[in-house]
Amino acid sequence: MSPHPNPDQAVTGDSRAPARSGSGSTGVSAARDESGGRRAPAPLRFGYGTNGLADLRLDDALGLLADLGYDGVGLTLDHMHLDPLAPDLAARTRRVAQRLDRLGLGVTVETGARYVLDPRRKHGPSLLDPGPDDRARRVDLLLRAVSVAADLGAHAVHCFSGTVPDGTDEDTAWKRLAETLTPVLEASATAGVPLAVEPEPGHLLATLADFHHLRRTLGDPEPLGLTLDLGHCQCLEPLPPADCVREAAPWLRHVQIEDMRRGVHEHLPFGDGEMDFPPVLAALAATGYQGLTVVELPRHSHAGPHFAAQSLPFLRRAARSAAALPGPAVPGPSVPGPSVPVPPHGDPSATPEGSTTA
């Protein structure tokens, strides 16, 4: 497949023009001036997830986001959007790459489609399924996603662990997760595209502490990064969202954003939840994160164009307010242990809303 510019480097001039970089970039880069002092952080780059535009053709969704002024797109591989299982994936990916280039959109590849592998079981099979053939099907999807991401110039591939199957103990589930992610991480290293695992309420890997448990289990491989959903921080992390951003900074490879309430895993349009966005965006900008920050409203496709149009002005206002805040220095990582207590969280299948895994 043909190469495509990698959009995860610092943006100058037109904020929608993806900048080229070498492979294996992290999405986080400290901004310093020629004397070695810290510069003002680069502007945050906002995208919108196609899982919130499921009623639009992919070409139409991309055109909409470009017209609205978004910097990029969180592209969920699904039956209606660059189907990863349909024939001629390489040729179709090249056409999408060309479309992204023409529109000046960056991209992250997401893998949270509900029924792309199993028309009867949401997010099935997972990396934790008892059957090795079932786990292999999910691994194959992730390997396809890595290949697509490399050819699109995506700054990361998103994935999640899945819920622990009935009758499976957690030790076994963690072993399965480590085993199934190993070939995907090897492919990510070869492709130069980070694999960004998302802590998801109700899943085996549900919190930042769980991410660090996985990281240590795997020996801290370079391609392994983090998808940080900022609403999930509001929902269940013991730290406030801005502090979660600072703690997660060294591993940030992809960021999702929406409003949310404490203790309720329900993805909400901006203004409908409890989040205070300027401090969160100030913390994110201060990390030097240069990937996309993608609006995640997968249960709002019925009015997707409306929410896409409403979300970007909100985020830009919040970012301007964030720039006016006094910015604390980004601390060194203080890795939470797996024993950090968190509020209880339920099965995302039982919630009225959800993220890529809802």
Side-chain angles (χ1 to χ4, degrees), residues 124-198:
S126 81
L127 297 173
L128 309 180
D129 271 27
D133 290 343
D134 286 336
R135 297 197 299 273
R137 290 176 61 203
R138 177 62 61 171
V139 170
D140 176 69
L141 175 66
L142 296 181
L143 293 174
R144 289 169 182 258
V146 169
S147 178
V148 168
D151 291 349
L152 294 179
H155 70 78
V157 172
H158 151 279
C159 72
F160 49 74
S161 67
T163 59
V164 179
D166 291 341
T168 299
D169 63 85
E170 284 205 359
D171 286 344
T172 298
W174 281 110
K175 289 176 183 176
R176 288 176 186 165
L177 183 60
E179 290 171 357
T180 52
L181 284 181
T182 295
V184 185
L185 288 164
E186 291 171 352
S188 295
T190 300
V193 181
L195 184 68
V197 180
E198 179 188 8

Side-chain angles (χ1 to χ4, degrees), residues 46-54 58 61 65 70 72-76 81 108 110 254 256-257 293-298 301 304 308 356:
F46 295 116
Y48 199 92
T50 59
N51 59 0
L53 297 169
L58 181 55
L65 298 181
Y70 281 92
V73 58
L75 174 56
T76 295
H81 292 156
T108 306
E110 303 201 5
H254 181 43
Q256 298 170 342
I257 191 168
T293 299
V294 172
V295 178
E296 188 79 358
L297 292 174
S301 283
T356 51

